[in-house]
């Protein structure tokens, strides 16, 4: 028997293995960098859509709903658009639209079990929204934000217009209710008001790219 002692080609095999290992490391690093860039871009787009949803939500719960309560519900009217929303000017400056007066009033003044059959309770805010606002972008296409009330719990159970669903002050002023029973000289104690509670769904999305969107679920008391 003759043993083979020829080691020719070992250096080539070793070099090829080292090259393969190096290429594997380089490919892994490229994959990590590419994934990081994609994740960073997706996170940036989501945060932009989220900020649009936050901005629209602030407008709805701090300006629009209080205006409906103070200018429509407080005076026993039935047309929120004419009584409250038209004068705000959002319809032209922000392409603002609202649902029909009947459904909007139903959702704000009645528990969800008493809403009309045409009033949507679906958690999809884009399906028959109560409010729709277009927010322009300084560098790209605008965002459209859809807002919808999907559930109402009334503290005032009486039917509208005798009851207003909420026991809170309807003047629209940002101030505390009177508390003379604890700080003043009045003999009686002011009863604490009981707000109505609304579950609101919000969806904001880029007008030309529906995958660039965010969703919010809000519990709002008035």
């Amino acid at each position: 028997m003759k043993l083979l002692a020829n080691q020719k080609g070992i250096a080539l095999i070793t070099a090829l293995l080292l090259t393969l290992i190096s290429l594997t490391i380089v490919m892994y690093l490229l994959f990590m960098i590419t994934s990081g860039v994609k994740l960073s871009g997706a996170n940036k787009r989501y945060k932009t859509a989220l900020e649009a949803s936050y901005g629209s939500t602030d407008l709805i719960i701090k300006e629009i709903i209080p205006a409906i309560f103070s200018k429509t519900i407080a005076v026993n009217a039935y047309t929120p658009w004419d009584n409250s929303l038209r004068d705000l000017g959002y319809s032209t400056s922000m392409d603002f639209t609202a649902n029909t007066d009947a459904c909007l009033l139903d959702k704000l003044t009645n528990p969800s079990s008493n809403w009309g059959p045409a009033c949507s309770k679906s958690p999809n805010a884009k399906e028959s929204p109560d409010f729709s606002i277009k927010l322009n972008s300084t560098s790209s296409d605008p965002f459209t934000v859809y807002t919808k009330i999907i559930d109402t719990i009334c503290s005032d159970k009486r039917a509208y217009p005798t009851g207003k669903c909420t026991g809170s002050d309807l003047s629209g002023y940002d101030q505390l209710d009177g508390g003379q029973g604890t700080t003043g000289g009045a003999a009686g104690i002011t009863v604490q008001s009981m707000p109505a509670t609304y579950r609101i769904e919000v969806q904001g999305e880029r007008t030309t790219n529906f995958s660039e969107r965010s969703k919010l679920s809000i519990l709002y008391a008035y």
Side-chain angles (χ1 to χ4, degrees):
M1 179 183 295
K2 184 179 180 181
L3 298 176
L4 296 176
N6 189 351
Q7 296 184 355
K8 291 181 179 179
I10 294 297
L12 177 61
I13 295 175
T14 303
L16 290 174
L17 288 175
L18 291 175
T19 302
L20 179 62
I21 294 172
S22 300
L23 287 175
T24 303
I25 294 174
V26 171
M27 291 177 65
Y28 176 74
L29 291 175
L30 288 175
F31 172 76
M32 293 296 294
I33 293 172
T34 303
S35 298
V37 171
K38 289 182 179 179
L39 184 61
S40 177
N43 187 53
K44 180 180 179 180
R45 290 190 296 271
Y46 170 73
K47 285 188 174 180
T48 304
L50 185 62
E51 289 299 324
S53 297
Y54 280 149
S56 176
T57 300
D58 279 346
L59 183 66
I60 295 294
I61 66 177
K62 293 181 179 180
E63 297 285 340
I64 294 175
I65 291 181
I68 295 175
F69 270 102
S70 62
K71 297 182 179 180
T72 301
I73 297 175
V75 298
N76 301 334
Y78 289 86
T79 53
W81 182 259
D82 289 332
N83 286 77
S84 311
L85 304 180
R86 193 183 302 278
D87 294 339
L88 294 177
Y90 297 133
S91 58
T92 54
S93 62
M94 293 186 176
D95 195 11
F96 170 78
T97 57
N99 202 344
T100 61
D101 285 333
C103 267
L104 194 53
L105 196 66
D106 260 357
K107 290 186 174 185
L108 291 174
T109 60
N110 292 293
S112 48
S113 58
N114 293 343
W115 293 354
C119 302
S120 174
K121 300 178 184 178
S122 165
N124 182 2
K126 195 174 179 179
E127 178 185 318
S128 301
D130 295 316
F131 305 103
S132 173
I133 297 179
K134 183 178 289 186
L135 302 177
N136 292 321
S137 172
T138 57
S139 59
S140 186
D141 296 318
F143 282 89
T144 301
V145 184
Y146 305 95
T147 304
K148 180 166 68 172
I149 301 170
I150 66 169
D151 191 24
T152 302
I153 301 175
C154 294
S155 60
D156 186 348
K157 306 296 183 182
R158 296 172 299 171
Y160 183 79
T162 304
K164 304 293 191 291
C165 189
T166 177
S168 299
D169 173 58
L170 300 181
S171 65
Y173 294 108
D174 263 346
Q175 60 185 13
L176 296 175
D177 293 336
Q180 290 186 351
T182 56
T183 60
I189 297 177
T190 302
V191 178
Q192 182 181 8
S193 62
M194 295 296 292
T197 305
Y198 304 92
R199 180 185 168 187
I200 303 175
E201 295 294 321
V202 180
Q203 178 173 319
E205 62 185 28
R206 181 82 70 176
T207 305
T208 56
N209 183 10
F210 300 149
S211 63
E212 190 174 341
R213 64 185 178 184
S214 67
K215 296 182 178 180
L216 300 175
S217 292
I218 301 165
L219 190 63
Y220 174 62
Y222 186 92

